[in-house]
Amino acid sequence: MQVFKFGGASVKDAEGVKNVAEVLKQFHGQKITIVISAMGKMTNALERLANSFFNKTENAESVLEEIKKYHLDICQQLFPSASHSIYTDLENTFVELYWAIEDEPTHGFDFEYDQIVSMGEVISTKIVSAYLNDIGLTNKWIDARGIIQTDNTYREGKVDFELTESLVKRDLIPVFNSINIIITQGFIGGTSENFTTTLGREGSDYTASILAYCLNAENVTIWKDVPGVLNADPKWFSHTKKIDELSYHDAIELTYYGATVIHPKTIKPLQNKNIPLYVKSFIKPKEKGTVIRDGEKRLNIPSYIFKIDQVLISIQPKDFSFIAEDNLSDIFELFSKHGVKINLMQLSAISFSVCCDNNVEKINALVTELQNQFKVLYNSGLELMTVRYYTQEIIDILTSQKIILLEQRSRYTVQMVMKNEIAE
Ligand code: ASP
Ligand code: MG
C-alpha cells in the first residue's frame, strides 16, 4: 500500500488532471491512497470568499461565481457530455456554498473559514475521481472529514491519531478488498461534532503522512512540479541542486527553518513508523527524485532557506531589570495567545529579541499587549537567511552588502537576520 499526494499545481487545469492519470498508469494494479489538494490557487480564492463573507471585503457572490466558473471550465474539458453526473454533483456542492454565505456569520471567523475553504479539496477530489473512473482507473472517493479526526482548533486542527487510526482500519482498509485506488482530500478533517476543520495552509502533505502512518503504508510519494527536494528555492537562488537522499533529521530541520518543499509536520509520523517519503516530479515521473528516510548521512552540500518580510521585535523590561524566567513565560504566553510563530530568538541581559514573519495584524495586537509590561522596539522589512551545513565562505558571500542585526550559529546551522546596506 502506497500513499500519493498531488498538490494544487498538479491539478491546476484539465491537462494537469490528465497528467495525474498518466502518472497513475505506471502503477497499474498497485494499491494506492491518493491525497489531493484544491486545484491551482483555489484555496486562496476560497480564502477571499471567506473574507468577503465575514469581513465584507468584496462581494461574496461574485467571488463564488469566479470559483465556480474555474472548476466548470476544467470540467467541460474533462467531461464533454453535459449530462455527466459530475455536473449535478458539483451543482449541489456549490448550492451548499451559496447557502453557507447567504446568512450572516454565526460563528467566529476561523470556524467559518474552515467550512468554506475546505470545499476546494472536496471539489477537486470529486473532479479527479470522476475523471479517473471514466478512463478506467477505478477508484473510490472517500470523505476525509469522516476519517481524519481533529479537535476543534479551527484552521489548525490537532489530529487525534488514535481515533483516526481506528477509522482508517474500519473505513479505508476494507475498500482495498475490491478496489485499488482511494481518492481523498488533503488539508481537511472533521471534529467529533461533524464540523469541518483544516490542518493549516499547505497541510495536504501532512494528510498524506497521517494516512500513511495509520495505514502502515510502504511509502509516500509527494508529486511536485520540481524534480525533488532542492538545496534552495529557485525563486531566490539561481544555482540550485537536487538532493538525492535526505535523512528524516535533515528534512525536519530544513522544513522547520522554512523550506517550503514539504509541510513541516509531514516528517514526524513517517519517521515514527520508518516510512520512506519520495518527492518526485509529476512532469518527469520516471526520474528518481528525492528520498527522505532513516539515516545518519549528513548532506554534503549546504542548503539555503531565505525568508523575506521579517520583523525583529526586541523586548525589554521597563525598569531595566533582567529578563528572567518570569518575564519569559509572560512573553511566550503572549506570543502563543496571538498566534505569532517565532523564527529565531535570542536572549541578552536586558533584552529578548525575536524574529518572526510580518503578519501585520497579529504583530500589532501582540506588540500592543507586550507594551503594557515592556518596552518594545521593532524593525521590519528584514530578511532571515538560514544555511544548514554552512562554511565561512558562504556566509561572507551571502552577507556582503548586508547589515546583520542578529546572528546565531550552531555546529551545522547559521541563521542571520539582515537588511540591505544602504548605499551612501
Ligand atoms: N489547498 C491547501 C492550501 O493551498 C492545502 C495544500 O495545498 O496543501 O493551503
Ligand atoms: Mg495548495
Side-chain angles (χ1 to χ4, degrees), residues 302 304 385-402 404 407-416 418:
Y304 304 85
M385 174 66 86
T386 304
V387 188
R388 187 151 169 84
Y389 302 124
Y390 64 90
T391 61
Q392 187 55 45
E393 193 191 345
I394 287 171
I395 295 178
D396 293 342
I397 296 169
L398 293 172
T399 57
S400 76
Q401 292 171 3
K402 301 276 181 187
I404 302 176
E407 182 181 328
Q408 235 169 52
R409 288 189 199 201
S410 62
R411 187 138 66 111
Y412 299 125
T413 307
V414 62
Q415 290 198 283
M416 294 168 294
M418 46 194 203

Side-chain angles (χ1 to χ4, degrees), residues 309-380:
D309 208 10
Q310 300 291 298
V311 272
L312 188 60
I313 308 176
S314 150
I315 304 159
Q316 303 167 10
K318 283 181 174 162
D319 62 0
F320 227 70
S321 62
F322 290 127
I323 285 263
E325 286 71 14
D326 288 354
N327 285 329
L328 286 176
S329 74
D330 292 347
I331 294 171
F332 283 128
E333 212 167 285
L334 289 177
F335 272 82
S336 135
K337 175 177 164 195
H338 292 282
V340 175
K341 291 193 178 138
I342 297 173
N343 293 335
L344 175 70
M345 58 188 170
Q346 195 157 300
L347 182 63
S348 73
I350 51 155
S351 118
F352 180 58
S353 303
V354 178
C355 174
C356 27
D357 293 350
N358 193 9
N359 185 323
V360 181
E361 247 169 66
K362 288 183 179 175
I363 299 280
N364 284 346
L366 168 71
V367 168
T368 310
E369 220 179 320
L370 280 169
Q371 278 168 337
N372 293 332
Q373 223 180 317
F374 304 97
K375 185 176 164 204
V376 183
L377 304 170
Y378 77 95
N379 213 325
S380 57

